[in-house]
Amino acid sequence: QEKLAAKKKRRKEREALGDKAPPKAVPKTIENQRVYDETTVDPNDEEVAFDEATDEFAPYFNRQTVPKILITTSDRPRGRTVRFCEQLSSVIPNSHVYYRRGLALKRIIPQCIARDFTDLIVINEDRKIPNGLVLSHLPEGPTAHFRMSSVRLRKEIKRRGKEPTEHVPEVILNNFTTRLGHSIGRMFAALFPHDPQFIGRQVATFHNQRDYIFFRFHRYIFKSEKKVGIQELGPRFTLKLRSLQKGTFDSKFGEYEWIHKRREMDTSRRKFHL
Amino acid sequence: RTKTQNFCRNEYNLTGLCNRSSCPLANSQYATVREEKGRCYLYMKTIERAAFPRRLWERVLLSKNYEKALEEIDENLIYWPRFIRHKCKQRFTKITQYLIRIRKLTLKRQRKLVPLRRKIERREKRREEKALIAAQLDNAIEKELLERLKQDTYGDIYNFPIHAFDKALQQQDAESESESDAENEEEEEEEEDVDKREFVEAEDSDLSDFEDMDKLETSSEEEEEEEEEVEQKASRSKTKGKTPLKGPARRKRPYIEIEYEEETEPTTKTKAA
């Protein structure tokens, strides 16, 4: 009540002053108040640039390898997960879905490497809905384990367009600021072939906000030079990073680069890691 | 508790049920088979030791060999009632079977259940919602796409960039209008219209999927075309610093005019009007 009164008073003052009024105060958001993370990447940081040139994604970014992706699930996938896998494979070009009848991950990885796959995606499910995603870059690449939530299949999205075509989509990676975020962003970028086909006018977006990565898949169209219309097609989901491992998937002996430790990392509301 | 039987809670019970015949408390001569850490033992209780609770249950290690262990049970319970002997052997069989199963399963991949903490789950969910609202994904995506358009990552597919450059350069340079500029403007008008026409036509044929979008698009584009023409006629003093482009454009001009003569008829009509 008091706040309302104060607000009204302030607005009247502003109108009364007219042009001489002080500029509008910027509201405080969590993004504004974010605790400064020392690992934020500077665009001109040499060390980071050097690292990126020599890490595991270098062959991809130098266009030596073409991404080839294997999507699989945990044991006994339920209908929803299966459908989600199919849709995901239609979004990512050059991807194949294989079912897993009890094959151990450790054994599947050498097979994948032998068959020339560059990336492996495992969708873990629980109670008939997919809830986890393991993304590993195959030839000895980093493995990222995410918790997936809010999965919408294509038919559940309102006002959506038709199916994604076979054109290579563009990729938008938003807001991946820190070192960790940067490496994850590159992992995502490595899933898609490097040359998007603009005729397809499709764009896949990975937007990071407060440690949640939102994935959307749209078709865009330029109505004029200042206006673009987007139409959502394709599934959508959100990911939250749980852990990042150096080598390929190994739950016991792997070398963890980053784990989400709830006790230490969730203490402050304004501190984010991605 | 089933309909006819109760379960006995005593750990030394032979069958699991609470009967007069299978209660270790009710019978003073009793035997059970129990296993500890993978090894099976035969526990026996006799009347003589009823006064000494500490020494009440006598324990005998059974051999790992299935048949030998059965023989051992038999020799230990030699003069005992048939019921107890039979039930002991049955229980022992069951125990060995499940031990085998355990050993097999541990070799395969184990499914570890990690309990989900409700409070944390709720917190995460809430934070995610708020993050979603803060993200304003659609706006962000649109902005990014427009940025890319400005930075010319799309190359020459879209013909809007010329206008964008105009408006941007307008603020910077302040060149005066010249005849060549006017000519170029006219040229570019026609070119744009022509190309726009092409663009729209192509869209119609290729992307017939989007019925609604198509209609929207074509109608809006037609409107825009007319608007642009009007704009350009009205404000010839706009500067276009893109002289390098105009060289080849000028050269192309006669060819384009000839080829698309028919298409530009309507535009010429509007110009005349």
Side-chain angles (χ1 to χ4, degrees):
Chain A
Q1 276 273 339
E2 296 168 354
K3 260 190 178 178
L4 277 175
K7 243 187 175 174
K8 272 193 178 171
K9 219 172 87 174
R10 222 182 301 153
R11 210 169 7 129
K12 277 193 187 157
E13 280 177 23
R14 172 161 294 141
E15 283 172 21
L17 286 175
D19 283 329
K20 296 187 225 160
K24 211 169 180 183
V26 178
K28 291 192 271 191
T29 63
I30 290 191
E31 278 77 26
N32 293 350
Q33 315 289 78
R34 178 173 173 172
V35 166
Y36 176 67
D37 201 331
E38 61 210 7
T39 59
T40 328
V41 169
D42 213 11
N44 312 323
D45 202 347
E46 272 183 10
E47 188 188 319
V48 170
F50 179 69
D51 267 342
E52 290 186 359
T54 51
D55 79 348
E56 291 112 349
F57 296 108
Y60 167 74
F61 281 105
N62 298 338
R63 301 189 187 211
Q64 284 164 6
T65 52
V66 177
K68 190 172 171 197
I69 302 181
L70 181 68
I71 305 185
T72 180
T73 66
S74 53
D75 284 347
R76 297 187 159 265
R78 308 303 291 183
R80 218 182 134 97
T81 314
V82 166
R83 269 176 275 151
F84 178 66
C85 278
E86 288 171 23
Q87 293 184 4
L88 198 61
S89 81
S90 74
V91 163
I92 304 180
N94 211 2
S95 61
H96 305 270
V97 182
Y98 278 111
Y99 292 120
R100 185 132 74 96
R101 273 221 68 206
L103 290 172
L105 268 181
K106 289 186 210 169
R107 256 175 265 161
I108 215 180
I109 287 177
Q111 281 187 21
C112 282
I113 301 182
R115 306 224 182 139
D116 235 3
F117 279 99
T118 55
D119 286 280
L120 175 68
I121 299 184
V122 183
I123 299 187
N124 203 334
E125 74 157 325
D126 168 62
R127 272 189 229 168
K128 307 178 196 172
I129 47 164
N131 75 338
L133 185 91
V134 176
L135 166 62
S136 67
H137 191 68
L138 270 183
E140 283 309 310
T143 315
H145 180 31
F146 299 92
R147 194 209 338 235
M148 183 152 61
S149 48
S150 162
V151 173
R152 300 274 175 269
L153 295 179
R154 214 177 275 142
K155 62 178 179 179
E156 293 165 8
I157 299 182
K158 299 185 188 166
R159 289 189 224 114
R160 71 175 190 290
K162 301 267 178 92
E163 288 188 11
T165 56
E166 285 296 320
H167 295 123
V168 172
E170 275 185 64
V171 179
I172 293 185
L173 298 164
N174 259 344
N175 240 343
F176 286 94
T177 44
T178 64
R179 271 307 278 280
L180 184 63
H182 226 66
S183 51
I184 302 268
R186 285 155 63 77
M187 267 187 98
F188 284 130
L191 289 177
F192 294 89
H194 220 104
D195 309 300
Q197 291 168 315
F198 297 122
I199 354 167
R201 280 187 296 130
Q202 293 174 141
V203 57
T205 308
F206 291 91
H207 182 101
N208 170 36
Q209 182 91 9
R210 301 184 195 177
D211 278 357
Y212 287 97
I213 304 178
F214 298 101
F215 169 82
R216 300 285 186 273
F217 193 69
H218 292 278
R219 179 162 271 148
Y220 62 86
I221 196 162
F222 284 105
K223 292 190 212 145
S224 75
E225 83 231 17
K226 292 284 168 73
K227 264 207 298 187
V228 58
I230 51 178
Q231 196 183 33
E232 181 153 8
L233 41 100
R236 68 157 84 158
F237 51 90
T238 55
L239 299 170
K240 184 159 201 269
L241 182 69
R242 275 228 287 240
S243 66
L244 180 64
Q245 281 178 16
K246 265 265 146 72
T248 54
F249 181 74
D250 212 328
S251 49
K252 293 183 214 162
F253 309 114
E255 180 194 331
Y256 279 97
E257 203 177 309
W258 189 83
I259 321 179
H260 178 74
K261 297 195 188 87
R262 207 191 321 118
R263 295 250 151 195
E264 305 170 4
M265 297 185 179
D266 259 358
T267 45
S268 150
R269 244 179 269 208
R270 295 170 192 65
K271 180 164 188 289
F272 306 110
H273 315 284
L274 260 191
Chain B
R1 204 185 263 215
T2 47
K3 283 199 184 150
T4 45
Q5 310 260 18
N6 295 344
F7 288 122
C8 182
R9 291 194 203 178
N10 193 314
E11 53 193 17
Y12 283 103
N13 189 314
L14 190 52
T15 63
L17 315 164
C18 192
N19 295 324
R20 174 66 182 73
S21 58
S22 50
C23 184
L25 304 172
N27 301 316
S28 17
Q29 197 188 43
Y30 201 74
T32 322
V33 178
R34 282 175 75 200
E35 61 93 30
E36 219 162 294
K37 293 187 190 156
R39 299 309 313 270
C40 300
Y41 299 95
L42 173 64
Y43 284 81
M44 288 180 291
K45 168 173 132 164
T46 40
I47 316 174
E48 296 110 19
R49 299 197 300 265
F52 314 109
R54 194 152 70 93
R55 289 175 249 167
L56 188 54
W57 287 96
E58 182 186 334
R59 187 162 92 159
V60 171
L61 180 71
L62 298 172
S63 112
K64 274 199 177 170
N65 191 343
Y66 183 66
E67 290 117 5
K68 262 201 184 169
L70 283 180
E71 286 168 10
E72 280 177 14
I73 293 180
D74 263 333
E75 26 173 291
N76 273 316
L77 300 179
I78 191 165
Y79 292 118
W80 285 51
R82 254 176 296 159
F83 175 75
I84 293 182
R85 249 186 291 156
H86 186 228
K87 288 295 179 182
C88 271
K89 283 189 252 179
Q90 270 190 341
R91 195 183 164 95
F92 171 71
T93 315
K94 260 279 155 61
I95 287 178
T96 44
Q97 283 172 352
Y98 82 62
L99 283 176
I100 291 173
R101 214 189 320 151
I102 288 179
R103 274 179 253 140
K104 244 195 249 175
L105 277 184
T106 49
L107 287 178
K108 285 194 183 176
R109 298 166 313 134
Q110 290 277 36
R111 192 176 288 241
K112 193 166 81 160
L113 291 172
V114 173
L116 215 53
R117 307 276 181 90
R118 216 178 309 166
K119 180 176 177 188
I120 289 175
E121 208 188 326
R122 261 191 293 145
R123 192 165 30 137
E124 302 273 308
K125 221 172 158 189
R126 187 97 179 99
R127 285 206 185 151
E128 198 182 313
E129 284 171 18
K130 291 200 172 173
L132 186 62
I133 298 173
Q136 292 178 353
L137 284 169
D138 291 340
N139 292 353
I141 298 178
E142 288 174 10
K143 259 193 229 173
E144 176 71 32
L145 288 171
L146 288 172
E147 279 275 328
R148 288 192 184 181
L149 185 67
K150 283 205 186 127
Q151 285 169 10
D152 217 12
T153 43
Y154 297 137
D156 280 330
I157 320 178
Y158 303 106
N159 302 103
F160 309 118
I162 306 178
H163 273 288
F165 278 114
D166 293 342
K167 287 179 186 166
L169 290 170
Q170 208 184 69
Q171 295 154 10
Q172 295 171 10
D173 310 344
E175 291 174 17
S176 56
E177 57 171 341
S178 58
E179 288 186 359
S180 55
D181 275 347
E183 273 180 47
N184 292 337
E185 279 166 29
E186 271 190 42
E187 222 182 73
E188 291 212 299
E189 259 186 58
E190 287 184 11
E191 242 195 35
E192 273 171 24
D193 296 340
V194 156
D195 288 347
K196 276 222 170 97
R197 279 279 150 158
E198 205 184 353
F199 181 62
V200 170
E201 303 267 354
E203 292 251 72
D204 278 334
S205 57
D206 289 352
L207 305 163
S208 52
D209 286 344
F210 294 126
E211 299 164 18
D212 292 342
M213 292 277 287
D214 246 351
K215 285 180 199 158
L216 256 182
E217 198 196 299
T218 47
S219 61
S220 64
E221 288 223 354
E222 278 168 32
E223 287 174 1
E224 275 169 36
E225 272 179 40
E226 293 179 345
E227 282 177 7
E228 277 161 21
E229 284 173 46
V230 169
E231 265 180 37
Q232 290 206 329
K233 279 183 224 158
S235 55
R236 297 242 163 160
S237 59
K238 277 192 189 163
T239 56
K240 298 186 184 179
K242 287 206 73 182
T243 36
L245 185 72
K246 281 168 204 160
R250 214 180 278 165
R251 256 184 280 127
K252 277 192 205 164
R253 182 191 175 184
Y255 300 111
I256 291 177
E257 277 194 350
I258 293 171
E259 279 169 28
Y260 295 112
E261 227 176 337
E262 294 167 0
E263 288 185 23
T264 52
E265 266 182 11
T267 56
T268 49
K269 276 187 197 162
T270 53
K271 270 187 196 169

